[in-house]
Amino acid sequence: MKENSAHFAIKRIYDPPGDGDGFRVLVDRLWPRGVSKERARLDLWLKEVAPSGPLRTEFAHMQERFEDFRSAYEAELAENPAVETLRRIGTDHARVTLLFGARDVETNHARVLLEFLQRGGR
């Protein structure tokens, strides 16, 4: 098996697709409002890697809850088989862009997922 050599990145799905995005994966559980499938230019919608419904509801994108959310989501990711799907994609593609719909580009689940993948799942 090849070593995971992908460069993972995150990007809002509302931003225009770019030539440098590589393999584009939507990592939201819900389809983002106002985005057509054509405009999204997805290679994969991997909703299974998104936070669970109860966790997402509890976080509610409130900054003061982010650190607790991060810990709980990382615990979910550690047990989530969809993470292995992303790792396999990373072995086949030099660049993988994780797409998300949240407005806040710093405190969101895609950032937690990116950092989790960069740490090798730790």
Side-chain angles (χ1 to χ4, degrees), residues 10 59 61 66 69 100 102 104-112:
I10 60 172
F59 171 44
H61 295 282
F66 185 68
F69 167 78
F100 65 96
D104 187 333
V105 297
E106 294 300 320
T107 54
N108 63 65
H109 76 283
R111 171 128 351 246
V112 175

Side-chain angles (χ1 to χ4, degrees), residues 52-115:
S52 65
L55 182 56
R56 187 175 50 87
T57 301
E58 183 181 322
F59 171 44
H61 295 282
M62 297 176 70
Q63 281 223 298
E64 63 273 12
R65 296 180 183 170
F66 185 68
E67 289 309 315
D68 289 338
F69 167 78
R70 174 191 297 276
S71 296
Y73 183 40
E74 286 178 349
E76 285 186 357
L77 289 171
E79 303 295 321
N80 189 334
V83 172
E84 186 56 35
T85 300
L86 280 176
R87 288 188 182 120
R88 280 194 309 270
I89 291 167
T91 63
D92 295 334
H93 301 275
R95 181 155 179 99
V96 178
T97 299
L98 309 174
L99 302 165
F100 65 96
R103 285 188 184 113
D104 187 333
V105 297
E106 294 300 320
T107 54
N108 63 65
H109 76 283
R111 171 128 351 246
V112 175
L113 176 58
L114 172 68
E115 292 169 1

